[in-house]
Amino acid sequence: MKALIFNGALERRQESTSGVLSNYFAEKLNQLGIENSVFNLADSGIPLFDTSLSRIPNSVKIMNSLFLEADLHFWLSPLYHGGVPGVMKNCLDWLEISAKNSPAYLTDKTVGLVCWADGVQALQGINAMDAIAKSLRAWTLPFSVPIVKRELFGNSGSKELSSKYSCKLDLLINIATTRTATFETLLGRS
């Protein structure tokens, strides 16, 4: 199994919310012995989606290769003005170059969804990513993690995840990698 962690934020700092979450997923997947890579949108150089280009940009070829080679995806996104960042959607639109592949797009890939917001509206971002993933023929997990950002970290100023969210993220990873959710994982005792 090969996993891709798609950091859809434009944050470059490791201590940013997206950096902490990306590292958390990578560490947990490494502990499970699952090969994984982080695709940081901020460092990708993905241009605006343009179907009139005669040559596909190299950054787009690299992105498509990473997305298509992974069996399992985790998409991480902040909520900006009621949806995922436009650059994240723009990046995913570039999967159009795989339309003539067999299979096309992200057919039968599994996608776990995580979104954070300053308020309680992160589920709007989850819903947006769910619609995008399904339109790309991927399967989204029946469990996602909408995050209230002020509750994400344990202590004020700390970058250690709260037990509330580490349990939820662990459950998402467990469901994605085993396709099961036991009572123990729901309680955080796995």
Side-chain angles (χ1 to χ4, degrees):
M1 178 182 292
K2 206 173 199 182
L4 175 72
I5 302 156
F6 178 26
N7 176 357
L10 287 179
E11 303 170 313
R12 286 189 167 89
R13 298 171 295 114
Q14 289 297 312
E15 65 277 1
S16 67
T17 300
S18 64
V20 170
L21 290 171
S22 294
N23 291 336
Y24 186 85
F25 274 88
E27 182 180 307
K28 292 294 182 174
L29 292 168
N30 286 336
Q31 289 172 4
L32 294 170
I34 296 172
E35 180 183 346
N36 66 86
S37 59
V38 177
F39 182 81
N40 286 308
L41 185 54
D43 300 324
S44 68
I46 300 293
L48 289 175
F49 181 58
D50 185 351
T51 58
S52 68
L53 294 177
S54 59
R55 285 186 39 192
I56 298 167
N58 195 47
S59 59
V60 171
K61 290 178 186 176
I62 292 168
M63 181 275 296
N64 264 262
S65 179
L66 288 170
F67 277 64
L68 298 176
E69 289 174 3
D71 309 297
L72 171 61
H73 293 212
F74 293 99
W75 293 0
L76 316 176
S77 176
L79 184 76
Y80 289 161
H81 310 289
V84 297
V87 294
M88 182 179 189
K89 175 66 168 69
N90 176 74
C91 179
L92 292 165
D93 286 343
W94 274 108
L95 287 164
E96 184 61 29
I97 69 169
S98 71
K100 294 180 180 169
N101 291 4
S102 182
Y105 306 113
L106 299 178
T107 299
D108 291 332
K109 306 291 183 187
T110 301
V111 181
L113 306 172
V114 177
C115 185
W116 59 94
D118 286 331
V120 295
Q121 293 82 23
L123 192 55
Q124 291 175 355
I126 298 285
N127 290 336
M129 289 188 288
D130 181 71
I132 295 165
K134 287 177 179 172
S135 71
L136 291 168
R137 304 178 187 172
W139 297 97
T140 55
L141 293 172
F143 179 80
S144 58
V145 184
I147 296 171
V148 177
K149 192 173 173 186
R150 72 176 174 274
E151 298 174 3
L152 179 58
F153 299 107
N155 299 324
S156 181
S158 165
K159 287 299 178 181
E160 184 176 328
L161 297 179
S162 67
S163 61
K164 171 184 177 177
Y165 282 112
S166 61
C167 286
K168 289 181 180 190
L169 295 171
D170 289 349
L171 179 57
L172 179 67
I173 293 166
N174 179 268
I175 293 169
T177 58
T178 65
R179 305 281 199 265
T180 62
T182 64
F183 186 68
E184 287 75 26
T185 58
L186 291 171
L187 295 175
R189 296 185 207 149
S190 59

